[in-house]
Amino acid sequence: MSTPEIRPATEADLPFVTEIYEHAVRYGTATFELIPPDLAEMTRRFRALMEGGFPYFVAAVEGRVIGYAYAGPYRPRPAYRFTVENSVYLQPATHRRGIGLLLLQRLIAECEARGYRQMIAVIGDSANAGSIGVHTRTGFQMIGTHPCVGLKFGRWLDTVMMQRALGEGATTVPADSKAS
């Protein structure tokens, strides 16, 4: 496989994104969704992220999207506005080839450029060694595990929480923070 192009996602990419996510929902434990969202719902989610000013990237080889990554709000309350939560999904055939690492590295760099200070990874299934590994390789620290909080495929699943500082992290207060 040739080196993928990592580029900003467009609405034209969403059929591929929807297909990748559908497989993750139906057969994987990285997401706790039980029913795959259709293209209309994935488009609604994409537009909400774009309108919110969040980054969204795809990895493409020969014009075909094989993975995607985005950052979105960690929580809706304004005090969390400098913290994002990331998501990375790949076609199953492309796992363990460094594509997730490339996507996450690009996402981190873009979030830093946009002034975010913390990135949170909420990883479905504590047995998800690939995701935990790629996050560790990009500087995330383990901050905790919520045991047995999801029920999927007839078994209880954990969520693993990891966190990484972006830019200056918490060493300074952003100038435009309007802190009170």
Side-chain angles (χ1 to χ4, degrees):
M1 175 183 290
S2 58
T3 302
E5 171 192 14
I6 308 296
R7 60 170 173 75
T10 67
E11 285 197 25
D13 299 318
L14 295 180
F16 300 110
V17 167
T18 301
E19 178 183 305
I20 291 166
Y21 191 63
E22 178 180 351
H23 189 275
V25 171
R26 289 191 189 281
Y27 305 105
T29 56
T31 176
F32 286 8
E33 282 201 70
L34 302 176
I35 299 169
D38 63 12
L39 178 58
E41 175 59 16
M42 293 297 281
T43 301
R44 186 199 65 72
R45 293 177 187 186
F46 174 80
R47 288 176 180 165
L49 290 168
M50 294 299 95
E51 289 167 9
F54 294 99
Y56 200 127
F57 295 101
V58 294
V61 173
E62 297 172 7
R64 178 151 175 88
V65 173
I66 58 171
Y68 67 96
Y70 63 85
Y74 172 63
R75 295 284 185 266
R77 293 194 171 115
Y80 294 111
R81 68 192 173 281
F82 294 101
T83 302
V84 291
E85 181 178 334
N86 74 30
S87 292
V88 180
Y89 289 94
L90 304 172
Q91 280 186 339
T94 64
H95 287 196
R96 302 215 175 265
R97 295 186 181 181
I99 298 163
L101 178 65
L102 292 173
L103 279 163
L104 187 52
Q105 288 170 330
R106 177 74 182 272
L107 187 64
I108 289 167
E110 184 63 26
C111 286
E112 287 178 330
R114 294 183 188 201
Y116 294 107
R117 295 297 190 90
Q118 300 291 327
M119 184 176 280
I120 305 292
V122 181
I123 299 169
D125 194 356
S126 58
N128 190 342
S131 186
I132 293 168
V134 77
H135 282 87
T136 300
R137 284 186 64 191
T138 54
F140 283 76
Q141 301 291 317
M142 184 73 66
I143 58 171
T145 300
H146 298 285
C148 303
V149 294
L151 182 64
K152 190 172 181 180
F153 304 134
R155 65 187 177 104
W156 288 103
L157 299 169
D158 305 336
T159 56
V160 173
M161 304 290 292
M162 298 183 79
Q163 183 171 344
R164 181 194 195 285
L166 300 172
E168 295 179 24
T171 62
T172 63
V173 174
D176 64 347
S177 68
K178 298 180 181 87
S180 47

